[in-house]
């Protein structure tokens, strides 16, 4: 039997990093427990209201955040606040499948277009790797706003 997983990021600013990854992955912020959000409602504003009602001090309201796949297929992603800086290359990184089924120039053009979109969200481009068939279709290495490495492939 397979297991469901949650991916957890250590972060200085969980809310901002969750917004970045929400927009990268097409995920959503879930509603607070027991809260039914009307269509078009801002789940982050609902969380602010919920945490205030629960008596969570303002300085602790950005201690965590989460995003979920709206289709329920992908893993939940959790962001937890930590005081320490990232000091080395992350040992696990995400590969964002931005060009499924494409190859060669068409694939790399799709990766470049996605790279441009993510740069506007706050990502940093590190390096492009050209296709080397049959082992590699090519990819682009990037960093999220807190320096976590990920690949567009």
């Amino acid at each position: 039997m397979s297991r469901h997983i949650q991916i957890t990021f250590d972060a200085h600013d969980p809310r901002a990093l969750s917004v970045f990854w929400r927009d990268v992955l097409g995920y959503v912020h879930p509603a607070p427990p027991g809260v039914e959000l009307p269509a078009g409602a801002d789940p982050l504003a609902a969380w602010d209201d919920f945490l205030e009602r629960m008596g969570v001090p303002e300085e602790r309201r950005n201690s965590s955040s989460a995003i979920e796949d709206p289709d329920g297929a992908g893993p939940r992603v959790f962001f937890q606040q930590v005081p320490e800086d990232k000091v080395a290359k992350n040992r696990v990184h995400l590969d964002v499948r931005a060009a499924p089924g494409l190859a060669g120039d068409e694939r790399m053009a799709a990766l470049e277009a996605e790279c441009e979109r993510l740069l506007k969200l706050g990502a940093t481009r590190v390096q492009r790797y050209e296709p080397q068939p049959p082992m590699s279709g090519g990819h682009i290495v990037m960093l999220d706003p807190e320096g976590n490495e990920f690949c567009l492939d």
Side-chain angles (χ1 to χ4, degrees), residues 30-38 46-47 49-51 53-54:
V35 175
E36 194 69 34
L37 290 180
W47 272 102
D49 295 342
F50 176 81
L51 294 171
R53 283 193 318 275
M54 297 301 293

Short mmCIF file of all heavy atoms in Angstrom, two decimals, residues 30-38 46-47 49-51 53-54:
data_model
loop_
_atom_site.label_atom_id
_atom_site.label_comp_id
_atom_site.label_asym_id
_atom_site.label_seq_id
_atom_site.Cartn_x
_atom_site.Cartn_y
_atom_site.Cartn_z
N PRO A 30 -5.77 26.14 2.16
CA PRO A 30 -7.02 25.60 2.70
C PRO A 30 -7.66 26.58 3.67
O PRO A 30 -6.99 27.45 4.23
CB PRO A 30 -6.58 24.32 3.42
CG PRO A 30 -5.16 24.62 3.84
CD PRO A 30 -4.59 25.48 2.73
N ALA A 31 -8.95 26.41 3.88
CA ALA A 31 -9.67 27.21 4.88
C ALA A 31 -9.26 26.76 6.27
O ALA A 31 -8.82 25.62 6.47
CB ALA A 31 -11.17 27.03 4.69
N PRO A 32 -9.40 27.63 7.26
CA PRO A 32 -9.15 27.23 8.65
C PRO A 32 -10.13 26.13 9.08
O PRO A 32 -11.20 25.98 8.49
CB PRO A 32 -9.39 28.52 9.45
CG PRO A 32 -9.30 29.62 8.45
CD PRO A 32 -9.74 29.05 7.14
N PRO A 33 -9.78 25.38 10.12
CA PRO A 33 -10.66 24.32 10.59
C PRO A 33 -12.06 24.84 10.93
O PRO A 33 -12.20 25.86 11.62
CB PRO A 33 -9.97 23.80 11.86
CG PRO A 33 -8.56 24.27 11.76
CD PRO A 33 -8.57 25.50 10.92
N GLY A 34 -13.06 24.17 10.40
CA GLY A 34 -14.44 24.52 10.70
C GLY A 34 -14.96 25.74 9.99
O GLY A 34 -16.08 26.17 10.25
N VAL A 35 -14.18 26.32 9.09
CA VAL A 35 -14.59 27.52 8.37
C VAL A 35 -14.96 27.15 6.94
O VAL A 35 -14.17 26.52 6.24
CB VAL A 35 -13.47 28.59 8.38
CG1 VAL A 35 -13.86 29.79 7.52
CG2 VAL A 35 -13.15 29.02 9.80
N GLU A 36 -16.14 27.52 6.52
CA GLU A 36 -16.59 27.31 5.14
C GLU A 36 -16.40 28.62 4.40
O GLU A 36 -17.05 29.62 4.73
CB GLU A 36 -18.06 26.89 5.14
CG GLU A 36 -18.55 26.34 3.84
CD GLU A 36 -17.97 24.97 3.51
OE1 GLU A 36 -17.73 24.17 4.43
OE2 GLU A 36 -17.73 24.73 2.31
N LEU A 37 -15.51 28.63 3.43
CA LEU A 37 -15.23 29.87 2.69
C LEU A 37 -16.18 30.01 1.52
O LEU A 37 -16.34 29.08 0.73
CB LEU A 37 -13.80 29.86 2.16
CG LEU A 37 -12.68 29.99 3.17
CD1 LEU A 37 -11.33 29.96 2.46
CD2 LEU A 37 -12.80 31.27 3.97
N PRO A 38 -16.80 31.18 1.36
CA PRO A 38 -17.61 31.40 0.17
C PRO A 38 -16.71 31.52 -1.06
O PRO A 38 -15.52 31.83 -0.94
CB PRO A 38 -18.33 32.72 0.45
CG PRO A 38 -17.60 33.35 1.58
CD PRO A 38 -16.82 32.29 2.29
N ALA A 46 -9.04 34.78 5.93
CA ALA A 46 -9.81 33.93 6.84
C ALA A 46 -8.92 33.36 7.93
O ALA A 46 -9.34 33.25 9.09
CB ALA A 46 -10.49 32.81 6.06
N TRP A 47 -7.69 32.99 7.58
CA TRP A 47 -6.75 32.50 8.59
C TRP A 47 -6.41 33.60 9.60
O TRP A 47 -6.31 33.35 10.80
CB TRP A 47 -5.48 31.95 7.94
CG TRP A 47 -5.60 30.51 7.59
CD1 TRP A 47 -5.84 29.98 6.36
CD2 TRP A 47 -5.52 29.41 8.50
NE1 TRP A 47 -5.91 28.62 6.46
CE2 TRP A 47 -5.72 28.24 7.75
CE3 TRP A 47 -5.31 29.30 9.87
CZ2 TRP A 47 -5.70 26.97 8.32
CZ3 TRP A 47 -5.29 28.04 10.44
CH2 TRP A 47 -5.48 26.89 9.68
N ASP A 49 -8.28 36.11 10.54
CA ASP A 49 -9.45 36.24 11.43
C ASP A 49 -9.53 35.07 12.41
O ASP A 49 -9.78 35.25 13.59
CB ASP A 49 -10.74 36.31 10.61
CG ASP A 49 -10.84 37.57 9.76
OD1 ASP A 49 -10.10 38.54 10.04
OD2 ASP A 49 -11.64 37.56 8.81
N PHE A 50 -9.32 33.86 11.90
CA PHE A 50 -9.39 32.65 12.73
C PHE A 50 -8.35 32.70 13.84
O PHE A 50 -8.66 32.44 15.01
CB PHE A 50 -9.18 31.42 11.84
CG PHE A 50 -9.13 30.13 12.58
CD1 PHE A 50 -10.29 29.48 12.98
CD2 PHE A 50 -7.91 29.52 12.86
CE1 PHE A 50 -10.25 28.27 13.65
CE2 PHE A 50 -7.85 28.31 13.53
CZ PHE A 50 -9.02 27.69 13.93
N LEU A 51 -7.10 33.02 13.51
CA LEU A 51 -6.04 33.05 14.50
C LEU A 51 -6.28 34.14 15.55
O LEU A 51 -5.99 33.95 16.73
CB LEU A 51 -4.68 33.23 13.82
CG LEU A 51 -4.25 32.06 12.94
CD1 LEU A 51 -2.99 32.42 12.14
CD2 LEU A 51 -4.04 30.79 13.75
N ARG A 53 -9.30 35.21 16.48
CA ARG A 53 -10.38 34.67 17.33
C ARG A 53 -9.87 33.61 18.30
O ARG A 53 -10.37 33.48 19.40
CB ARG A 53 -11.50 34.07 16.48
CG ARG A 53 -12.41 35.08 15.83
CD ARG A 53 -13.70 34.46 15.26
NE ARG A 53 -13.54 33.20 14.56
CZ ARG A 53 -13.21 33.07 13.28
NH1 ARG A 53 -12.99 34.15 12.54
NH2 ARG A 53 -13.10 31.88 12.72
N MET A 54 -8.85 32.86 17.88
CA MET A 54 -8.29 31.81 18.73
C MET A 54 -7.31 32.36 19.76
O MET A 54 -6.80 31.61 20.58
CB MET A 54 -7.60 30.74 17.87
CG MET A 54 -8.52 30.01 16.92
SD MET A 54 -9.86 29.14 17.75
CE MET A 54 -8.97 27.90 18.62
#
